[in-house]
Amino acid sequence: MARLRVAVLISGRGSNLQALVNACAEPAFPAEIDLVISNEPEAGGLALAEAGGVATRIVNHRDFSDRPPFDAALTAALTEAGSDLVCLAGFKRLLTTAFVERWRDRLINIHPSLLPAFKGLHVHERVIKAGVRITGCTVHFVRPEMDDGPIIVQETVPVAADDTPEGLAERVLAAEHRCYPLALRLIAEGRVTVAGKVVTITGSDPLPAGFLNPRDA
Ligand code: GRF
């Protein structure tokens, strides 16, 4: 079966990109990364992509007057690459509704909290301040509102009484590196369907313990 063609959009260090590149390096993995786009010319993830033999492009938002032409340039690059699915991995630009709708149900993101809790920035600081005992990460389909959309995979991470934002970030990041490849695999295997706000995952092989989706069939 043909592998799913994936593009990854980054702005920074690219550790989630690296996790996806590693997963796709397995011969049996059902997806391949054909393009990495960064809006930041100095993003560390660009070197990681190149080291993994993945084509890179820079689409610098500073070269555009406004968000619509920037997003149109992204779509042009993705279309040219023949991308089936777009993964946001630390991509720090807000996307227009037109872009999100153009890639509806073919655009996914990872966020370092158990959505819909703790949308936005400085998540780990806010998690600790709020006194919650369990946090985690979420891979979700993207909708026009920030950090919104049907949830594909989540993994929980306990918050320790003496946690620092840095220590918690490190443990959540390790979970991210497990969740993102898992979500990509499930999509590439055709096991993910979206109805309204809810994702259903079908198929016999169950998710590993700790990965939550109560509707897994
Ligand atoms: C991750 O924590 C991700 O959840 C968030 O941005 C961070 C990106 O890190 N959206 P990296 O560039 O993948 O290392």
Side-chain angles (χ1 to χ4, degrees):
M1 215 173 103
R3 307 215 299 169
L4 193 76
R5 295 179 66 87
V6 177
V8 184
L9 270 53
I10 63 166
S11 300
R13 70 186 159 182
S15 71
N16 278 289
L17 164 67
Q18 183 71 66
L20 295 175
V21 167
N22 292 348
C24 290
E26 299 287 327
F29 199 80
E32 62 188 32
I33 301 175
D34 299 304
L35 179 64
V36 169
I37 302 177
S38 175
N39 66 304
E40 289 290 354
E42 304 299 328
L46 287 168
L48 299 178
E50 279 154 24
V54 179
T56 61
R57 278 180 82 154
I58 294 164
V59 181
N60 189 334
H61 59 281
R62 298 172 192 86
D63 296 340
F64 298 85
S65 55
D66 204 354
R67 287 203 284 141
F70 170 69
D71 286 6
L74 293 178
T75 287
L78 295 166
T79 308
E80 193 184 310
S83 305
D84 299 313
L85 181 79
V86 182
C87 296
L88 305 180
F91 185 68
K92 295 188 187 128
R93 304 299 299 172
L94 285 176
L95 294 161
T96 55
T97 298
F99 182 91
V100 172
E101 292 302 340
R102 166 71 178 74
W103 295 96
R104 190 181 180 85
D105 296 344
R106 296 192 296 147
L107 176 63
I108 64 176
N109 181 45
I110 187 152
H111 183 76
S113 77
L114 291 177
L115 290 174
F118 300 102
K119 296 178 178 188
L121 297 173
H122 310 296
V123 167
H124 307 298
E125 287 88 336
R126 290 190 286 125
V127 161
I128 289 171
K129 267 197 185 143
V132 304
R133 301 303 172 99
I134 296 174
T135 184
C137 62
T138 303
V139 183
H140 64 98
F141 287 107
V142 174
R143 293 292 180 261
E145 201 181 306
M146 193 178 62
D147 297 327
D148 183 46
I151 291 166
I152 306 163
V153 170
Q154 294 183 305
E155 186 179 334
T156 57
V157 175
V159 183
D162 58 351
D163 248 328
T164 60
E166 295 71 29
L168 188 55
E170 201 175 304
R171 298 201 316 286
V172 171
L173 195 63
E176 293 182 45
H177 298 163
R178 291 186 287 271
C179 278
Y180 220 169
L182 173 62
L184 177 56
R185 178 167 71 77
L186 293 169
I187 291 171
E189 289 173 345
R191 295 170 57 190
V192 174
T193 51
V194 192
K197 293 187 172 180
V198 173
V199 163
T200 301
I201 296 172
T202 54
S204 51
D205 109 38
L207 300 184
F211 294 95
L212 303 181
N213 188 324
R215 288 179 189 77
D216 305 336

